[in-house]
Amino acid sequence: MENRIRYLSNSLVEYYEIPLTFITQISKKSFKYKDEKEQEYFLKVSPFNASDKFKFLEGLGVDNIIYPHLNKDNEYLTKQNLDSFYIMDFYVSNEIIPEVKAQNMLKELNHLHNNSEIKRQLSVRLARPKFEEITKELDYKFKIIENYVRSIESENLNIFSMPILGNYQYILDAKKELIMLQKRIINFIKAKEKVDYVYVHNRPSLDHLLNIKGQNYLVSIENGKIGISSLDIAKFYINNEHLDLDFEELIYHNIFENKSPFYYEYFRFLVLYILIKKIIISSEKYLTAQSFINVSNSIKKYFNTFLDNNKNVSNENESND
């Protein structure tokens, strides 16, 4: 690690012409430096295509992200051998209560999405492999869960098996809902629905929102990709469902209500898909029991929060399929 820090420090002088002193390692891929005037900088080892992403967003005029410093080659990313990194000013974010920060995060994600829209037609050819992969993954996971539950049913009840058996019904409810939602999404794809592809952040945790002098900025934007906004919103909800917020108002009414039903259906599908993936089947029964409890509670909250507002429209489409 010392060799890597020395190597990165030398690269900073070469490419940014700023003599910086290493302060500390923040994470596996991020470091903190300072210059002679005690100005602090944030260095992060990033994917090789990060510079293209920053330039893409800059070209669109996206103004709610923090851009890195340009190096002497006028690039956001500095590439050296097997490493690539960027550097930006180090900011200390204002402390904000989680509920307010979550609402701010959702607002900034929406701003990012609205400013990077690309209208495209859903493609059966492109969607089929992805959905086949997801279907196989879900089928495999549900089969493992079913076999595990059957093995538990053959045993005497105990403090671990009771919550597993007691919450299995909610897993089955999620399975039924996923099948229904997948059919609806496939119908949208077959109809070649035109949807907005956007730049999705892809890791919308509250840690990736900074409040600097009252302004909110998204960070870790280099992990994003072109996709459908429902992915960001689903991950945002999963990360923050424990907060005391009206998610139906924040997500359905504020984001999806006036859009094509496709976005809301896809969002709901992704939420359940992510939750099912989180179920742990382990030889340590206490881990499996806790996993069943946690995921089942999330599934119950999902059904209580996100109503099937597209039921009539979707049923009509399904009947015409």
Side-chain angles (χ1 to χ4, degrees):
M1 182 55 69
E2 288 182 5
N3 289 336
R4 190 181 199 190
I5 291 170
R6 190 181 304 111
Y7 163 75
L8 291 172
S9 299
N10 292 335
S11 297
L12 289 172
V13 175
E14 179 182 353
Y15 284 89
Y16 295 90
E17 299 176 343
I18 308 173
L20 297 179
T21 303
F22 172 76
I23 300 177
T24 187
Q25 183 172 356
I26 299 171
S27 68
K28 184 179 179 181
K29 295 184 178 181
S30 60
F31 308 85
K32 189 177 180 182
Y33 285 80
K34 67 177 179 179
D35 63 16
E36 295 171 344
K37 297 180 181 180
E38 300 297 313
Q39 167 72 40
E40 293 181 335
Y41 295 85
F42 175 79
L43 182 150
K44 186 174 183 181
V45 176
S46 301
F48 281 99
N49 61 350
S51 187
D52 294 333
K53 295 179 181 181
F54 282 114
K55 287 182 177 180
F56 170 74
L57 294 171
E58 182 184 38
L60 293 173
V62 175
D63 57 2
N64 66 332
I65 68 174
I66 297 179
Y67 292 92
H69 290 292
L70 292 168
N71 63 22
K72 68 177 185 179
D73 296 327
N74 206 37
E75 295 287 344
Y76 283 122
L77 197 72
T78 297
K79 302 175 183 179
Q80 281 233 304
N81 298 326
L82 299 177
D83 261 333
S84 58
F85 64 89
Y86 65 75
I87 186 170
M88 60 175 56
D89 292 342
F90 184 87
Y91 295 98
V92 177
S93 180
N94 293 325
E95 290 294 326
I96 300 175
I97 63 171
E99 283 75 10
V100 173
K101 193 170 185 179
Q103 293 180 76
N104 290 343
M105 168 62 91
L106 196 57
K107 187 183 299 182
E108 298 309 323
L109 287 174
N110 209 28
H111 182 79
L112 172 65
H113 298 158
N114 290 339
N115 283 277
S116 59
E117 293 178 348
I118 305 170
K119 186 74 72 174
R120 289 181 183 174
Q121 196 175 66
L122 290 173
S123 166
V124 175
R125 179 180 61 85
L126 296 177
R128 180 180 289 115
K130 182 62 177 176
F131 265 98
E132 287 179 350
E133 178 186 342
I134 291 174
T135 299
K136 288 179 181 178
E137 186 178 358
L138 286 172
D139 286 346
Y140 179 72
K141 190 61 177 279
F142 280 122
K143 191 66 177 177
I144 290 176
I145 294 171
E146 180 185 351
N147 290 339
Y148 185 80
V149 170
R150 285 181 177 177
S151 70
I152 293 295
E153 288 175 332
S154 64
E155 302 174 0
N156 294 327
L157 288 177
N158 55 54
I159 59 172
F160 301 125
S161 63
M162 289 177 67
I164 293 173
L165 297 176
N167 285 286
Y168 183 47
Q169 60 177 311
Y170 302 111
I171 310 298
L172 293 177
D173 288 341
K175 180 180 180 180
K176 182 179 179 181
E177 180 93 340
L178 279 165
I179 293 171
M180 178 270 292
L181 289 169
Q182 186 170 16
K183 287 180 180 178
R184 293 184 182 179
I185 293 167
I186 289 172
N187 281 337
F188 283 114
I189 296 170
K190 287 180 178 178
K192 297 182 179 180
E193 178 96 358
K194 286 187 176 180
V195 300
D196 292 322
Y197 280 75
V198 303
Y199 191 87
V200 295
H201 186 286
N202 209 28
R203 296 184 182 178
S205 71
L206 297 190
D207 291 337
H208 293 154
L209 182 74
L210 301 183
N211 183 277
I212 304 166
K213 296 181 180 180
Q215 296 295 316
N216 295 304
Y217 297 94
L218 297 168
V219 294
S220 290
I221 202 75
E222 70 276 6
N223 296 303
K225 61 182 181 179
I226 299 298
I228 294 172
S229 60
S230 304
L231 175 62
D232 264 350
I233 309 304
K235 289 184 175 182
F236 163 83
Y237 171 72
I238 294 290
N239 289 337
N240 299 289
E241 61 167 331
H242 62 284
L243 297 178
D244 185 16
L245 290 169
D246 185 347
F247 285 105
E248 181 184 15
E249 178 68 24
L250 284 174
I251 292 177
Y252 176 69
H253 292 296
N254 289 354
I255 296 178
F256 293 128
E257 187 171 21
N258 296 317
K259 290 186 175 183
S260 161
F262 165 79
Y263 298 98
Y264 184 54
E265 305 287 43
Y266 191 41
F267 158 78
R268 293 163 64 209
F269 178 86
L270 288 170
V271 168
L272 291 177
Y273 169 62
I274 294 169
L275 287 176
I276 294 301
K277 286 180 64 176
K278 291 174 70 173
I279 296 176
I280 298 171
I281 303 297
S282 169
S283 57
E284 301 291 342
K285 289 185 179 179
Y286 74 93
L287 290 176
T288 303
Q290 190 58 56
S291 174
F292 265 64
I293 293 171
N294 292 341
V295 172
S296 295
N297 286 337
S298 294
I299 290 172
K300 285 185 281 185
K301 188 176 294 184
Y302 158 90
F303 279 109
N304 289 331
T305 304
F306 300 112
L307 304 176
D308 191 359
N309 295 300
N310 300 324
K311 186 175 182 179
N312 293 334
V313 175
S314 299
N315 283 346
E316 182 179 341
N317 289 340
E318 289 167 17
S319 64
N320 293 330
D321 182 37

